[in-house]
Amino acid sequence: MKERMFRVFVVFVLFCCMAPAGFGRGIHALAKPEETQSEDEDGGEEEEKDDKDEEDEDDELMDELEERRQNTLGEIDSLKSDIRSVEQKIQELKNAKSDLQTYISQLDRQVNSLESQIKDLETEIEKKKEEIAQKEEELEQAQAEADAQYELMKKRICYMYEKGQGSFLVLLLESESLSDLLNRADYAMQMSDYDRKMLDQLREIREAIAEHKRLLEEEEAEQESLLEELESQKAAVDRAISVKAQEIASYQSQINNASGEQGEYEKQLQEQEKLLEQVEYQIAAAAAAKAAREDGDGGASGFLWPCPASHRITSSFGPRQAPVAGASTYHKGIDVGAASGSAILAAASGRVTTSAYSGSAGNYVVISHGNGVSTVYMHASALYVSEGQMVSQGQKIAAVGSTGFSTGPHLHFGVIVDGSYVNPLNYVH
């Protein structure tokens, strides 16, 4: 400071001695460097302050986005838990319904067996009725024959009683000989015996028919009782089937309600997945903006193909049909099909802004390369870098897998420029 003051004093003396007229200009010349230096110092301080404020704002934005991301992930986990619970409930209901259907099938077979027995028994009962009717006819016929025989016998007895001894005397007088007389007497006795035998025989036949008819009626009664029992069993089984069918309808209603509940959870899950995607997009955009100042040259030195094991593109950038439920219909990168475990390399040097897991992207990495450029690597089976880590071009950062919404082992590779996804094939070939 003393040296500087001395120099000023010398210059002041020289100006005073050699050029009095330029005194004012000399003073001005001496003063101007001081003012310029002060302005530079103030400008530098203001620039440093602006940079610090910008960094603070970036940090606050990243903290807010990360908090939103964590909240969304928590909501997704909760919804997935709810979906698993509903799926378990639906499976239990389906199992119970299946058990009931199996039981009803058994009851149906039992009903079919009972119906077959009832049909056979009804046929047997009908036959018994026909046999009883036939026996009744035979009994009536036997009774008629017995009645006729009895009438004949009565007539002969009455005739013999009315004629009395006169008839016997006529019999003796009309006999031509003793032998004829004996023959006539024997004939009369035989007729009497015949009548008795016929009556006995007819009575036995009538009694046999009546006994057979009685046995048939007993069998019919037993069959009617058995038929009533079988019909009662069938009615009970039919009621059981009706009750079980109502239970099945109840289970199906519960299944439908649970399926609707599951559908609502899945709808909410899709909304949360979309929200997570938006948040991750915002995080990537914010990280890209922050990285523009410190993470590299934005890939100006060139990008490296991120999966040396394969150059087979299975899904290109742009509109597409969703390969699985929940997947995007506008592909924001390219899919490179490769064997699980294949190396995933950093396409360019930069800073890892995200190394995490999400339901849609699976295990994924986002690397900022500066100047608003970032690359995204999704569906990995393993991650080898952590958030905040600096990586060099070609460094192994992950391994190919099939986590998240994925149809098979592959690498989803995306490029983000100033917060928007662009076609990666414009950067790698």
Side-chain angles (χ1 to χ4, degrees), residues 290-311:
K290 182 179 181 181
R293 298 185 301 273
E294 56 188 28
D295 293 340
D297 60 3
S301 57
F303 279 75
L304 185 71
W305 183 259
C307 185
S310 173
H311 281 67

Side-chain angles (χ1 to χ4, degrees), residues 1-66:
M1 185 67 179
K2 292 181 179 179
E3 183 180 356
R4 185 170 177 273
M5 292 296 295
F6 177 76
R7 288 179 182 176
V8 172
F9 177 78
V10 171
V11 172
F12 176 78
V13 171
L14 289 174
F15 268 86
C16 290
C17 296
M18 297 176 62
F23 178 77
R25 291 191 300 269
I27 293 295
H28 178 72
L30 289 172
K32 187 173 182 180
E34 291 288 336
E35 292 176 358
T36 301
Q37 184 177 2
S38 177
E39 289 176 0
D40 289 343
E41 290 177 356
D42 291 343
E45 290 177 357
E46 289 179 0
E47 184 176 353
E48 289 179 1
K49 182 178 180 182
D50 290 341
D51 290 341
K52 188 176 185 304
D53 290 343
E54 188 173 356
E55 289 179 2
D56 291 341
E57 289 176 359
D58 288 343
D59 291 339
E60 289 177 2
L61 176 60
M62 291 298 291
D63 290 342
E64 179 183 350
L65 289 174
E66 182 60 27

Side-chain angles (χ1 to χ4, degrees), residues 134-401:
Q134 182 179 355
K135 291 303 177 183
E136 286 177 347
E137 291 178 1
E138 291 177 2
L139 187 60
E140 289 176 359
Q141 183 178 356
Q143 184 65 45
E145 291 177 357
D147 291 343
Q149 184 66 32
Y150 182 67
E151 290 297 326
L152 288 174
M153 186 184 71
K154 284 198 305 180
K155 287 180 180 180
R156 282 192 288 271
I157 292 173
C158 288
Y159 178 79
M160 291 176 66
Y161 177 76
E162 289 174 356
K163 297 301 181 178
Q165 295 296 326
S167 298
F168 187 71
L169 182 60
V170 172
L171 181 64
L172 293 175
L173 293 175
E174 289 181 356
S175 298
E176 296 177 357
S177 64
L178 179 60
S179 177
D180 184 34
L181 175 63
L182 294 174
N183 287 336
R184 286 175 181 262
D186 184 57
Y187 175 76
M189 293 298 293
Q190 287 181 1
M191 285 297 295
S192 178
D193 290 340
Y194 171 76
D195 286 336
R196 283 194 300 272
K197 289 180 179 178
M198 285 299 296
L199 285 173
D200 291 340
Q201 183 178 357
L202 289 172
R203 184 173 61 252
E204 290 176 358
I205 291 173
R206 188 175 67 246
E207 290 176 353
I209 293 173
E211 179 64 16
H212 195 181
K213 178 175 176 289
R214 184 184 66 79
L215 293 175
L216 290 174
E217 288 174 344
E218 288 181 357
E219 291 178 2
E220 181 189 12
E222 291 176 358
Q223 289 174 339
E224 290 285 359
S225 177
L226 180 58
L227 176 62
E228 184 178 352
E229 182 181 350
L230 290 175
E231 288 178 340
S232 176
Q233 292 179 16
K234 180 178 177 296
V237 175
D238 286 337
R239 287 194 298 271
I241 289 176
S242 177
V243 171
K244 297 307 177 184
Q246 291 176 1
E247 291 183 18
I248 285 180
S250 175
Y251 279 127
Q252 185 59 52
S253 176
Q254 294 179 60
I255 289 172
N256 293 339
N257 292 336
S259 297
E261 187 178 355
Q262 179 184 9
E264 182 62 28
Y265 283 141
E266 289 176 347
K267 180 180 177 182
Q268 294 179 28
L269 178 62
Q270 290 179 356
E271 292 174 355
Q272 291 298 323
E273 293 283 5
K274 289 180 181 178
L275 177 60
L276 177 63
E277 185 177 355
Q278 293 174 0
V279 173
E280 289 175 344
Y281 175 83
Q282 293 171 357
I283 290 176
K290 182 179 181 181
R293 298 185 301 273
E294 56 188 28
D295 293 340
D297 60 3
S301 57
F303 279 75
L304 185 71
W305 183 259
C307 185
S310 173
H311 281 67
R312 180 171 58 91
I313 298 176
T314 58
S315 183
S316 300
F317 179 85
R320 66 170 182 179
Q321 186 175 3
V324 294
S328 172
T329 56
Y330 189 89
H331 202 205
K332 297 177 181 178
I334 59 173
D335 287 345
V336 181
S340 182
S342 299
I344 298 175
L345 309 182
S349 299
R351 180 174 57 87
V352 177
T353 58
T354 304
S355 179
Y357 174 86
S358 81
S360 56
N363 294 316
Y364 73 107
V365 174
V366 179
I367 300 176
S368 171
H369 306 290
N371 295 332
V373 179
S374 296
T375 51
V376 183
Y377 312 79
M378 297 182 179
H379 309 299
S381 61
L383 302 178
Y384 304 136
V385 292
S386 56
E387 186 174 335
Q389 179 179 343
M390 299 301 295
V391 296
S392 57
Q393 185 179 51
Q395 180 177 338
K396 187 175 180 180
I397 60 173
V400 172

